[in-house]
Each structure stands twice: as structure tokens, then as C-alpha cells.
């Protein structure tokens, strides 16, 4: 398959982790005989520095022309503590989602058998967790009208949803549930919010066309509690933009590190793949950031184009790195493996998928050289 992939490394650790995902895609190209063409463009704080805007025209054009976009991370502390900043890196990502019509954000949450100890939650609670969050991505409070009075003392953000916006992401979520454990939980705040009541009405109606999927409802406050109390009860969680943002960070605690969670943002024409973590500026350039979320986002890209075997090869290679302890320090505090080494290891295992990787386990245990 030929694919044009736009690379948007962005800020902080974005470029480092994205480079590892690209290594893995190149390994897939070689092993499975595909041709992927990569073109890079700036977004976020780096684009503000270079071009005065977080989403330059040329970057948007490149994204429109590409089959898929691989995104690193966005954000810079110099904007975080400046509420008066007129331009912010995050606007680049939000505008990109909106311009490309990426209305559904898909975030799988899994507990890895080898990482049960990394989560602060009890093993017996998180073991077997396997759910996916379908987060609406181009509507709601993120994109509603924003107001600040002249005195700067009163502000508001409007949370608005149309039936159409709810129904298109709902259909995707129901279809996903059909192919999984056939359960869909709508998370809302219908006891308080009008917009949530519309979600309930529309989703309940759509549910009638998916009789094989069991539909239930949770208020978001209760859902936040249930996710850490009993995460294995979930299969597909469908929710609006901001609830999905918050619950997916919470979900990452189950997996052991936010550095593991990948996501796909899809629309009718475009698709963007990005880790759920932020730009982690403290780790920038230190070669310690976990590249796995970015690599698994590349696996979701492959999946999106029906390259299932290829996606599986990437996921298997990631599992191997977790099993062998070839991981960054967020997963093993004394680990001396850096972002690059972990990326190399995973990419190498994609190439040698049929082989038993030629590696000296004893050396790994002793914390010595890894690849022989
Ligand atoms: C995410 C991020 C973004 C969001 C930020 C960077 C705008 O937190 O993708 O979850 O809030 O959607
Ligand atoms: Mn977020």
C-alpha cells in the first residue's frame, strides 16, 4: 500500500517520540512491502515561534493532502501560566481537528499483564481491563462561544451540541461495540445539563438500530468513580468532548503510565493519530520519554487502513519490550533504556517478527548491553 503521511512533531517530547513511531512504520514498510511517504510540518509553540501561528496554512494544506497524520505533542509552559496570551499552541491542535472534521477520538484503555504493578490501583481491580473511549472531538464546550466581559471579571464557554454531531460519533461507537463485547456506556450529566439530555435522547434512539449492543448510562461523576473502582465493567464508553478528555487521562492510570495510551481521531475524510499525553517539557531532549504511546498510535494508523497484520506486528513488538523490561524510566525507575533505544528495540522486532529476537536476556536482567 502507498500512503502519504504528514508528520507533525510539535512541541516538547513530541519530536522524540514521533521519531520512534516513524522508525516502526519504516520497519513495517520493509517487512510487509509498503511505501509510505513522509512530509513534516510545524505545529504548536514551535510554529508560533517560526511563523507566528500555531497552525500555519502550509501545515494545514499538507494535512489535507495526506492520507493520514501522525502527531507528536503540543504545549509549552511559557503559555500555560499566561491567561492573557492571545495565541496558544493548543489552538493549533483544536483548529486542526475542526478543519479536518475529526469528530471522533478513539482512545483504547488496557491493562497490560506485565505492568499491573505499575498502576497505583490494586492488581485484582485493574486486571483484564479492556475498554475504549469514543470521545466527541469537534463540538461541545471546547468549541462553543467564548466570552469575557470588558472588565475581565466574568467569563463563559458555551457547551452546544446538535443531533447530527451526536449521532455521527454515536454510530461509530455502536459499530465498535458490535465488534467487541457488545456493551456501550453513554457518559453524560443528564441530571443537570440540557446538552446531556439531548445526548441521551439521540443515543437511545440510535441504540434501537443496534439491538445486539447493550446500552447503559452513567453520570460523569459516577463514571469517574467506576473507572477506578471497577474498570472491567466497561467495553465502549461514548461521551462528549470534555468528559472524554478528563476520563481518558484517568483511564491511563490503569495502564500504568500515560506514556502508553494511543489515540486515533477520525472524520469522514481524514485521520490523525497521536498519543494522549502532552508535551512533557521537563523531559524534552533527555531521551527519557516513553515512545510507546506514539508507536501504538502508528499501529492505530495501520489498523485504520486495514493493515491488521502489520498493526499486530507492531503491537507484538511493543508487548515484547514490556515483557523484557526494555522500557523507559516511567515504567522501570532505574531503567537505563532511553526513548531511542526502546524505539530501536521495537522497530527491530517488527522486522524480525517471525524470528525469535536474538537478544541476550541475561544481559538485560543485569542491566547491560541489550542488542547482540
Ligand atoms: C488531548 C489534549 C488536548 C485536549 C489539548 C492539548 C488541547 O489534552 O488531546 O487530550 O484537551 O483535547
Ligand atoms: Mn487531554
Amino acid at each position: 500500500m502507498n500512503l502519504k503521511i504528514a508528520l507533525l512533531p510539535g512541541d516538547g517530547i513530541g519530536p522524540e517520540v514521533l521519531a520512534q513511531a516513524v522508525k516502526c512504520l519504516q520497519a513495517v514498510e520493509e517487512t510487509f512491502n509498503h511505501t509510505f511517504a513522509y512530509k513534516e510540518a510545524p505545529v504548536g509553540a514551535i510554529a508560533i515561534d517560526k511563523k507566528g501561528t500555531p497552525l500555519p496554512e502550509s501545515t494545514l494544506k499538507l494535512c489535507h493532502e495526506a492520507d493520514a497524520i501522525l502527531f507528536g505533542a503540543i504545549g509549552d509552559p511559557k503559555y500555560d501560566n499566561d491567561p492573557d496570551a492571545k495565541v496558544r499552541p493548543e489552538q493549533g491542535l483544536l483548529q486542526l481537528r475542526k478543519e479536518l472534521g475529526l469528530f471522533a477520538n478513539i482512545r483504547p484503555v488496557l491493562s497490560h499483564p506485565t505492568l499491573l504493578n505499575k498502576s497505583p490501583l490494586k492488581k485484582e481491580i485493574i486486571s483484564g481491563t479492556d475498554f475504549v473511549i469514543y470521545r466527541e472531538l469537534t463540538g461541545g464546550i471546547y468549541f462553543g462561544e467564548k466570552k469575557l466581559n470588558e472588565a475581565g471579571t466574568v467569563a463563559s464557554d458555551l457547551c452546544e451540541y446538535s443531533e447530527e454531531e451526536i449521532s455521527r460519533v454515536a454510530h461509530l461507537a455502536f459499530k465498535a461495540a458490535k465488534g467487541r463485547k457488545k456493551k456501550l456506556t453513554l457518559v453524560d450529566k443528564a441530571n443537570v445539563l440540557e446538552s446531556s439530555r439531548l445526548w441521551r435522547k439521540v443515543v437511545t434512539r440510535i441504540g434501537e438500530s443496534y439491538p445486539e449492543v447493550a446500552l447503559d448510562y452513567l453520570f460523569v461523576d459516577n463514571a469517574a468513580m467506576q473507572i477506578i473502582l471497577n474498570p472491567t465493567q466497561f467495553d465502549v464508553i461514548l461521551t462528549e468532548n470534555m468528559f472524554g478528555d478528563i476520563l481518558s487521562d484517568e483511564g491511563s492510570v490503569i495502564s500504568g503510565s500515560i506514556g502508553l495510551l494511543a489515540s486515533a481521531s477520525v472524520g469522514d475524510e481524514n485521520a490523525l493519530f497521536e498519543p494522549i499525553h502532552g508535551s512533557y517539557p521537563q523531559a524534552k531532549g533527555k531521551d527519557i520519554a516513553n515512545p510507546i504511546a506514539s508507536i501504538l498510535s502508528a499501529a492505530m494508523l495501520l489498523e485504520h487502513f486495514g493493515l491488521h497484520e502489520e498493526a499486530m506486528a507492531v503491537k507484538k513488538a511493543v508487548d515484547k519490550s514490556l515483557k523484557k523490561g526494555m522500557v523507559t524510566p516511567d515504567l522501570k525507575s532505574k531503567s537505563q533504556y532511553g526513548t531511542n533505544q526502546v524505539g530501536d528495540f521495537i522497530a527491530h522486532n517488527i522486522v524480525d517478527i517471525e524470528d525469535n529476537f536474538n537478544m541476550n536476556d541475561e544481559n538485560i536482567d543485569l542491566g547491560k548491553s541489550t542488542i547482540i
Side-chain angles (χ1 to χ4, degrees), residues 15-305:
E16 297 164 54
V17 295
L18 192 81
Q20 312 315 312
V22 173
K23 270 181 202 167
C24 292
L25 286 177
Q26 285 168 335
V28 165
E29 284 180 76
E30 250 175 66
T31 312
F32 296 89
N33 237 329
H34 298 300
T35 308
F36 303 154
Y38 309 92
K39 276 193 186 160
E40 201 176 303
V43 71
I46 187 138
I48 299 177
D49 292 345
K50 276 192 189 154
K51 309 211 169 188
T53 162
L55 182 63
E57 268 303 312
S58 50
T59 299
L60 184 59
K61 184 163 178 282
L62 182 73
C63 292
H64 271 299
E65 288 164 1
D67 297 307
I69 301 144
L70 205 53
F71 195 95
I74 209 159
D76 190 298
K78 72 182 171 206
Y79 300 95
D80 294 344
N81 298 322
D82 177 10
D84 292 326
K86 288 279 167 288
V87 56
R88 311 183 155 274
E90 288 79 4
Q91 289 163 347
L93 181 56
L94 297 177
Q95 199 191 336
L96 192 58
R97 289 172 178 170
K98 193 74 172 175
E99 298 267 359
L100 299 177
L102 305 173
F103 60 82
N105 182 229
I106 305 160
R107 300 187 161 182
V109 178
L110 289 161
S111 70
H112 294 267
T114 43
L115 295 177
L116 293 175
N117 285 326
K118 282 311 296 174
S119 173
L121 302 171
K122 290 197 183 84
K123 259 203 259 192
E124 49 285 15
I125 287 181
I126 57 172
S127 177
T129 300
D130 178 1
F131 64 85
V132 56
I133 299 176
Y134 273 68
R135 165 188 175 193
E136 199 291 324
L137 201 61
T138 51
I141 198 166
Y142 271 59
F143 292 94
E145 189 187 355
K146 297 182 186 310
K147 283 192 195 159
L148 181 66
N149 73 347
E150 263 188 32
T153 52
V154 181
S156 65
D157 299 89
L158 181 68
C159 179
E160 193 170 56
Y161 270 109
S162 69
E163 254 190 69
E164 164 61 19
E165 284 174 313
I166 299 167
S167 93
R168 59 190 182 181
V169 64
H171 277 290
L172 289 187
F174 274 108
K175 281 182 193 142
K178 238 170 105 171
R180 293 174 48 100
K181 292 175 273 175
K182 301 186 171 47
K183 182 177 172 191
L184 188 145
T185 306
L186 172 65
V187 171
D188 63 24
K189 188 74 185 171
N191 51 345
V192 176
L193 303 177
E194 201 57 50
S195 53
S196 283
R197 289 193 275 272
L198 184 64
W199 271 83
R200 270 205 193 201
K201 234 167 54 197
V202 174
V203 171
T204 304
R205 198 179 60 225
I206 292 172
E208 286 164 14
S209 358
Y210 298 89
E212 61 278 71
V213 177
L215 170 63
D216 69 357
Y217 312 89
L218 274 184
F219 295 141
V220 63
D221 46 353
N222 188 12
M225 185 170 72
Q226 294 297 330
I227 281 177
I228 51 173
L229 216 50
N230 180 15
T232 56
Q233 70 182 288
F234 294 111
D235 179 20
V236 174
I237 291 178
L238 167 64
T239 192
E240 61 99 73
N241 203 342
M242 190 157 78
F243 297 161
D245 178 44
I246 298 168
L247 294 181
S248 53
D249 267 35
E250 188 191 8
S252 77
V253 176
I254 295 169
S255 76
S257 167
I258 196 165
L260 295 171
L261 257 70
S263 87
S265 303
V266 304
D268 291 330
E269 268 146 40
N270 269 289
L272 178 150
F273 302 85
E274 59 169 325
I276 84 153
H277 62 67
S279 59
Y280 192 13
Q282 305 85 335
K284 182 184 172 174
K286 292 195 180 146
D287 196 35
I288 56 168
N290 191 341
I292 290 181
S294 184
I295 292 170
L296 289 177
S297 300
M300 290 185 85
L301 181 156
L302 297 166
E303 199 86 59
H304 180 77
F305 291 100

